Amino acid sequence: MAMPLRQSLRLGGYLMKQKLLRKEKFPLLVELEPLFACNLKCGGCGKIAQPHTLLKQRMPVEQAVGAIEESGAPMVSIAGGEPLMHPQIDEITRQLLARNKIIFLCTNALLLPKHIHKFKPHRNFAWMVHIDGLEERHDASVRKEGGFQAAVDAIKLAKEKGFRVMTNTTFFTGDTPQDVIDVLDYLNDLGVDNMQISPGYAYEKAPDQDHWLGVQQTRELFAKAFGGGNRKRWRLNHSPVFLDFLEGKRDLECTPWGIPSYSLLGWQRPCYLLDDGYAKTYRELIETTEWENFGRGKDPRCSNCMAHCGYEPTAVIATLGSLKESVRAAVGH
């Protein structure tokens, strides 16, 4: 099953507008990081490696909303760090929803029960809970015993209160095709509205540098997991083109400007995963970044990347620019 119809229609209208305006580069979604602090020390993330003074900082509401307004992106993924540690995260969310943005609030869910009363269900809002495998695998990944059960309990609570809940799962070298199948089956049965998946990227600040997937490993993993028509039964928040890409059925060019990242440091060049400095404004990011220098075959750091943030924008643009692919996405193939 492909991404939700409402999300697809919103993106289709947005892309048509960009085409009419003859814009070559535009954001589909902004990764907004209003803080770097977190209550976990996950092996695959290096955000908390930032200086202590920076970890104490929280982005003002006006700055967060202003950055999204400047970019014009229709969708926002609020990440971090752990966003629920930001004392005004509910206000940031409310103001973005008031501006008709589609919001995904990323969280490890440990603090969700404590703060859920600050939020109300909204057609443009979803919790994005990180689930890195079933219990043993997840707890090892986040380096916290009981982390999986806490996340599951929070998902159930959010669903009971009428929220839309999505999950995000990253896979590494230790994962097998059966692991992929098992966690997606579990999330299906749990009632998660949509699942997002991604192969782990070799994030240079991450504590664990030994379990990143290579391109061929990624293709083999997902080709076997998706075999026999499996992927049709899961509520995956991806276009069929991106899933074809994960399986190795087609190749795609990276679109690094499609999902830009904005944090306390500014607009990150060239993408969420690489750190080649920061621009003060979105316009500066777009106009002064040498986009042609990034992607597999261009920058060695990109050689094994098949991450959602670089390739899903390419897939979405390819899907909505093709009647055949649009129909395939609509019927979930």
Side-chain angles (χ1 to χ4, degrees):
M1 185 178 290
M3 62 180 65
L5 179 60
R6 178 177 176 78
Q7 185 176 325
S8 298
L9 292 174
R10 180 72 178 276
L11 283 174
Y14 173 76
L15 289 176
M16 180 62 70
K17 180 180 179 180
Q18 305 314 303
K19 186 174 183 179
L20 292 174
L21 293 173
R22 297 183 178 180
K23 286 189 177 181
E24 293 184 0
K25 294 181 175 62
F26 44 83
L28 298 181
L29 176 148
V30 170
E31 290 273 1
L32 174 65
E33 297 178 305
L35 79 172
F36 289 120
C38 190
N39 53 348
L40 289 176
K41 298 179 180 180
C42 301
C45 176
K47 294 297 180 180
I48 60 171
Q50 297 288 351
H52 185 64
T53 52
L54 190 57
L55 291 176
K56 289 183 176 181
Q57 294 181 32
R58 306 292 184 263
M59 186 182 292
V61 174
E62 296 77 13
Q63 181 181 343
V65 175
I68 302 304
E69 286 277 84
E70 181 199 2
S71 75
M75 301 191 297
V76 184
S77 177
I78 305 178
E82 169 52 56
L84 290 177
M85 292 177 65
H86 192 298
Q88 295 176 295
I89 195 63
D90 54 321
E91 183 61 25
I92 291 174
T93 300
R94 278 193 292 272
Q95 290 205 24
L96 291 175
L97 288 172
R99 288 161 173 78
N100 200 31
K101 304 299 181 183
I102 294 175
I103 308 298
F104 309 103
L105 202 161
C106 302
T107 177
N108 56 47
L110 296 180
L111 296 174
L112 197 152
K114 180 180 179 181
H115 296 286
I116 195 169
H117 68 281
K118 300 176 182 177
F119 300 83
K120 294 181 179 179
H122 190 287
R123 64 180 183 174
N124 286 339
F125 175 80
W127 297 102
M128 178 75 79
V129 180
H130 294 273
I131 298 287
D132 282 341
L134 296 181
E135 187 165 17
E136 182 178 353
R137 168 71 179 79
H138 177 89
D139 287 358
S141 177
V142 303
R143 299 182 175 182
K144 181 176 178 61
E145 185 176 349
F148 176 81
Q149 192 56 54
V152 168
D153 291 343
I155 289 172
K156 291 178 180 178
L157 175 64
K159 292 295 295 180
E160 288 171 3
K161 291 186 175 294
F163 288 94
R164 182 166 168 240
V165 180
M166 302 173 65
T167 55
N168 184 19
T169 303
T170 304
F171 294 99
F172 299 91
T173 55
D175 293 309
T176 68
Q178 192 59 49
D179 291 331
V180 178
I181 293 168
D182 289 346
V183 70
L184 293 179
D185 280 347
Y186 181 88
L187 295 172
N188 246 19
D189 294 341
L190 188 60
V192 169
D193 292 280
N194 290 99
M195 291 87 85
Q196 192 164 290
I197 57 177
S198 184
Y201 173 79
Y203 186 52
E204 65 180 2
K205 292 183 179 179
D208 183 353
Q209 292 290 322
D210 299 323
H211 296 95
W212 308 115
L213 287 166
V215 171
Q216 192 56 38
Q217 289 175 301
T218 296
R219 290 170 174 166
E220 291 175 359
L221 176 68
F222 289 108
K224 291 177 181 177
F226 293 161
N230 273 348
R231 83 187 204 190
K232 296 178 184 178
R233 73 173 193 255
W234 297 315
R235 296 182 292 273
L236 298 172
N237 186 48
H238 296 291
S239 65
V241 171
F242 179 72
L243 297 177
D244 287 346
F245 168 70
L246 289 183
E247 286 192 68
K249 291 181 178 178
R250 65 187 296 167
D251 204 4
L252 297 172
E253 292 273 334
C254 176
T255 304
W257 43 262
I259 302 183
S261 174
Y262 182 74
S263 71
L264 290 162
L265 297 172
W267 292 95
Q268 188 168 330
R269 304 181 195 269
C271 69
Y272 175 71
L273 298 169
L274 297 182
D275 189 354
D276 285 1
Y278 296 83
K280 291 183 179 180
T281 66
Y282 175 74
R283 182 174 180 177
E284 179 187 342
L285 174 78
I286 293 299
E287 294 182 353
T288 65
T289 303
E290 297 178 344
W291 301 105
E292 67 278 3
N293 293 338
F294 302 99
R296 274 191 278 126
K298 300 174 183 178
D299 188 313
R301 296 172 298 176
C302 305
S303 60
N304 284 318
C305 181
M306 295 182 71
H308 163 78
C309 65
Y311 292 96
E312 184 71 273
T314 316
V316 168
I317 293 170
T319 297
L320 298 177
S322 162
L323 177 60
K324 177 183 176 181
E325 292 297 347
S326 294
V327 171
R328 192 162 74 106
V331 299
H333 291 176

